[in-house]
Amino acid sequence: VLKMDPPDSALGNKVRIRMEGSDDQYLHPHADNAMACNMTTGCKVGKKVIAVAGGRLDIRGLEDGTCPAWTKLQSILTPHEITVSDPKAAECWGSRPNDEILITNSKSSGGWSNQVVMTVRSVDAVTGNFSFAQTDSVGNPSSLDDDLHMASEVAWLSRPIVFEAEGDGPKNGAHVA
């Protein structure tokens, strides 16, 4: 068992795990699940991967293990302010200067085909409101208020544990499976 305490996020410290390699890696499942993969090669899981089969990998990046890494976009208040659906996210995120969040595209109509990274200026943990610089705009993603089934997701990018991939370009990064 590898146990590592979370880095001191108040100081902006991070643990960077750099994934290297260019050969495909394969997982050979237990005999009960062998039919799920190619019987000879196994299941291809990627070139840079940490794979756990039949177990659990617990990566504690924060002191509070209940802090979510992502949540749904509840509403857009202004072009520079949003509310997220999980109040715990507002309690955990934005505690350091210049924390970043990602708002994804989830519109079923295809009207907004973008994603945007926003720098958090302030957070109200009671209301779940996030405010951004006046020069930033959240765009036009769908929220729970206007599309219950296709609301955009909001992810916290300023996590203290970062998986990075060496080489291979942006679409072939590190994977945790």
Side-chain angles (χ1 to χ4, degrees), residues 154-171:
V154 180
W156 183 42
L157 296 181
S158 299
R159 292 172 242 167
I161 297 178
V162 178
F163 290 84
E164 299 176 323
E166 179 270 326
D168 288 338
K171 293 190 176 181

mmCIF file of all heavy atoms in Angstrom, residues 154-171:
data_model
loop_
_atom_site.group_PDB
_atom_site.id
_atom_site.type_symbol
_atom_site.label_atom_id
_atom_site.label_comp_id
_atom_site.label_asym_id
_atom_site.label_seq_id
_atom_site.Cartn_x
_atom_site.Cartn_y
_atom_site.Cartn_z
ATOM 1 N N VAL A 154 -18.763 21.011 -14.549
ATOM 2 C CA VAL A 154 -17.755 21.955 -14.088
ATOM 3 C C VAL A 154 -16.718 21.141 -13.330
ATOM 4 O O VAL A 154 -17.063 20.399 -12.406
ATOM 5 C CB VAL A 154 -18.377 23.036 -13.170
ATOM 6 C CG1 VAL A 154 -17.315 24.009 -12.706
ATOM 7 C CG2 VAL A 154 -19.504 23.764 -13.882
ATOM 8 N N ALA A 155 -15.458 21.248 -13.737
ATOM 9 C CA ALA A 155 -14.384 20.465 -13.118
ATOM 10 C C ALA A 155 -13.346 21.396 -12.505
ATOM 11 O O ALA A 155 -13.034 22.455 -13.049
ATOM 12 C CB ALA A 155 -13.716 19.570 -14.154
ATOM 13 N N TRP A 156 -12.806 20.977 -11.402
ATOM 14 C CA TRP A 156 -11.759 21.733 -10.718
ATOM 15 C C TRP A 156 -10.421 21.336 -11.325
ATOM 16 O O TRP A 156 -10.025 20.169 -11.280
ATOM 17 C CB TRP A 156 -11.805 21.431 -9.238
ATOM 18 C CG TRP A 156 -10.834 22.188 -8.397
ATOM 19 C CD1 TRP A 156 -10.506 23.506 -8.503
ATOM 20 C CD2 TRP A 156 -10.071 21.691 -7.309
ATOM 21 N NE1 TRP A 156 -9.590 23.855 -7.546
ATOM 22 C CE2 TRP A 156 -9.308 22.755 -6.791
ATOM 23 C CE3 TRP A 156 -9.964 20.443 -6.707
ATOM 24 C CZ2 TRP A 156 -8.450 22.614 -5.716
ATOM 25 C CZ3 TRP A 156 -9.118 20.303 -5.632
ATOM 26 C CH2 TRP A 156 -8.370 21.377 -5.148
ATOM 27 N N LEU A 157 -9.693 22.280 -11.916
ATOM 28 C CA LEU A 157 -8.421 21.992 -12.570
ATOM 29 C C LEU A 157 -7.212 22.201 -11.665
ATOM 30 O O LEU A 157 -6.117 21.763 -11.998
ATOM 31 C CB LEU A 157 -8.256 22.866 -13.815
ATOM 32 C CG LEU A 157 -9.267 22.637 -14.922
ATOM 33 C CD1 LEU A 157 -8.962 23.548 -16.093
ATOM 34 C CD2 LEU A 157 -9.286 21.180 -15.355
ATOM 35 N N SER A 158 -7.384 22.870 -10.566
ATOM 36 C CA SER A 158 -6.240 23.217 -9.705
ATOM 37 C C SER A 158 -6.016 22.178 -8.616
ATOM 38 O O SER A 158 -5.765 22.496 -7.462
ATOM 39 C CB SER A 158 -6.471 24.599 -9.082
ATOM 40 O OG SER A 158 -6.582 25.568 -10.091
ATOM 41 N N ARG A 159 -6.078 20.932 -9.000
ATOM 42 C CA ARG A 159 -5.892 19.845 -8.052
ATOM 43 C C ARG A 159 -4.419 19.710 -7.669
ATOM 44 O O ARG A 159 -3.544 19.943 -8.490
ATOM 45 C CB ARG A 159 -6.384 18.541 -8.651
ATOM 46 C CG ARG A 159 -7.886 18.540 -8.819
ATOM 47 C CD ARG A 159 -8.335 17.338 -9.574
ATOM 48 N NE ARG A 159 -8.956 17.873 -10.786
ATOM 49 C CZ ARG A 159 -9.258 17.159 -11.830
ATOM 50 N NH1 ARG A 159 -8.988 15.901 -11.872
ATOM 51 N NH2 ARG A 159 -9.819 17.716 -12.867
ATOM 52 N N PRO A 160 -4.155 19.306 -6.430
ATOM 53 C CA PRO A 160 -2.768 19.207 -5.997
ATOM 54 C C PRO A 160 -2.034 17.955 -6.489
ATOM 55 O O PRO A 160 -0.844 17.837 -6.287
ATOM 56 C CB PRO A 160 -2.865 19.238 -4.476
ATOM 57 C CG PRO A 160 -4.227 18.766 -4.167
ATOM 58 C CD PRO A 160 -5.094 19.155 -5.325
ATOM 59 N N ILE A 161 -2.737 17.019 -7.098
ATOM 60 C CA ILE A 161 -2.087 15.852 -7.690
ATOM 61 C C ILE A 161 -2.408 15.876 -9.182
ATOM 62 O O ILE A 161 -3.573 15.898 -9.576
ATOM 63 C CB ILE A 161 -2.555 14.532 -7.050
ATOM 64 C CG1 ILE A 161 -2.156 14.507 -5.580
ATOM 65 C CG2 ILE A 161 -1.970 13.342 -7.799
ATOM 66 C CD1 ILE A 161 -2.605 13.284 -4.836
ATOM 67 N N VAL A 162 -1.377 15.900 -10.004
ATOM 68 C CA VAL A 162 -1.536 16.059 -11.440
ATOM 69 C C VAL A 162 -0.862 14.889 -12.153
ATOM 70 O O VAL A 162 0.290 14.569 -11.873
ATOM 71 C CB VAL A 162 -0.898 17.393 -11.911
ATOM 72 C CG1 VAL A 162 -1.030 17.538 -13.409
ATOM 73 C CG2 VAL A 162 -1.523 18.566 -11.178
ATOM 74 N N PHE A 163 -1.589 14.254 -13.058
ATOM 75 C CA PHE A 163 -1.021 13.216 -13.916
ATOM 76 C C PHE A 163 -0.681 13.869 -15.245
ATOM 77 O O PHE A 163 -1.538 14.491 -15.867
ATOM 78 C CB PHE A 163 -2.011 12.068 -14.127
ATOM 79 C CG PHE A 163 -2.224 11.240 -12.903
ATOM 80 C CD1 PHE A 163 -3.136 11.626 -11.936
ATOM 81 C CD2 PHE A 163 -1.500 10.077 -12.715
ATOM 82 C CE1 PHE A 163 -3.328 10.870 -10.798
ATOM 83 C CE2 PHE A 163 -1.677 9.319 -11.576
ATOM 84 C CZ PHE A 163 -2.596 9.708 -10.623
ATOM 85 N N GLU A 164 0.575 13.729 -15.673
ATOM 86 C CA GLU A 164 1.027 14.323 -16.923
ATOM 87 C C GLU A 164 1.555 13.230 -17.839
ATOM 88 O O GLU A 164 2.076 12.222 -17.376
ATOM 89 C CB GLU A 164 2.160 15.319 -16.662
ATOM 90 C CG GLU A 164 1.780 16.472 -15.781
ATOM 91 C CD GLU A 164 2.965 17.367 -15.475
ATOM 92 O OE1 GLU A 164 4.087 16.863 -15.297
ATOM 93 O OE2 GLU A 164 2.754 18.575 -15.425
ATOM 94 N N ALA A 165 1.438 13.461 -19.136
ATOM 95 C CA ALA A 165 1.964 12.517 -20.107
ATOM 96 C C ALA A 165 3.153 13.126 -20.820
ATOM 97 O O ALA A 165 3.157 14.302 -21.155
ATOM 98 C CB ALA A 165 0.892 12.154 -21.119
ATOM 99 N N GLU A 166 4.165 12.316 -21.035
ATOM 100 C CA GLU A 166 5.352 12.740 -21.779
ATOM 101 C C GLU A 166 5.115 12.411 -23.240
ATOM 102 O O GLU A 166 4.760 11.295 -23.588
ATOM 103 C CB GLU A 166 6.568 11.984 -21.232
ATOM 104 C CG GLU A 166 7.873 12.282 -21.917
ATOM 105 C CD GLU A 166 8.149 11.355 -23.088
ATOM 106 O OE1 GLU A 166 7.766 10.187 -23.045
ATOM 107 O OE2 GLU A 166 8.750 11.837 -24.057
ATOM 108 N N GLY A 167 5.237 13.417 -24.128
ATOM 109 C CA GLY A 167 5.120 13.178 -25.569
ATOM 110 C C GLY A 167 3.730 12.793 -26.013
ATOM 111 O O GLY A 167 2.751 12.936 -25.300
ATOM 112 N N ASP A 168 3.601 12.305 -27.228
ATOM 113 C CA ASP A 168 2.383 11.755 -27.833
ATOM 114 C C ASP A 168 1.288 12.772 -28.112
ATOM 115 O O ASP A 168 0.254 12.405 -28.625
ATOM 116 C CB ASP A 168 1.768 10.632 -26.993
ATOM 117 C CG ASP A 168 2.594 9.366 -27.060
ATOM 118 O OD1 ASP A 168 3.358 9.210 -28.029
ATOM 119 O OD2 ASP A 168 2.478 8.540 -26.144
ATOM 120 N N GLY A 169 1.428 14.030 -27.774
ATOM 121 C CA GLY A 169 0.401 15.024 -28.087
ATOM 122 C C GLY A 169 -0.719 15.072 -27.073
ATOM 123 O O GLY A 169 -0.805 14.246 -26.179
ATOM 124 N N PRO A 170 -1.624 16.048 -27.223
ATOM 125 C CA PRO A 170 -2.633 16.307 -26.204
ATOM 126 C C PRO A 170 -3.734 15.265 -26.102
ATOM 127 O O PRO A 170 -4.385 15.164 -25.086
ATOM 128 C CB PRO A 170 -3.218 17.651 -26.642
ATOM 129 C CG PRO A 170 -2.982 17.725 -28.103
ATOM 130 C CD PRO A 170 -1.690 16.992 -28.326
ATOM 131 N N LYS A 171 -3.953 14.464 -27.127
ATOM 132 C CA LYS A 171 -5.055 13.493 -27.079
ATOM 133 C C LYS A 171 -4.619 12.142 -26.557
ATOM 134 O O LYS A 171 -5.429 11.238 -26.425
ATOM 135 C CB LYS A 171 -5.694 13.354 -28.452
ATOM 136 C CG LYS A 171 -6.393 14.621 -28.881
ATOM 137 C CD LYS A 171 -7.202 14.399 -30.104
ATOM 138 C CE LYS A 171 -7.962 15.670 -30.444
ATOM 139 N NZ LYS A 171 -8.788 15.519 -31.609
#
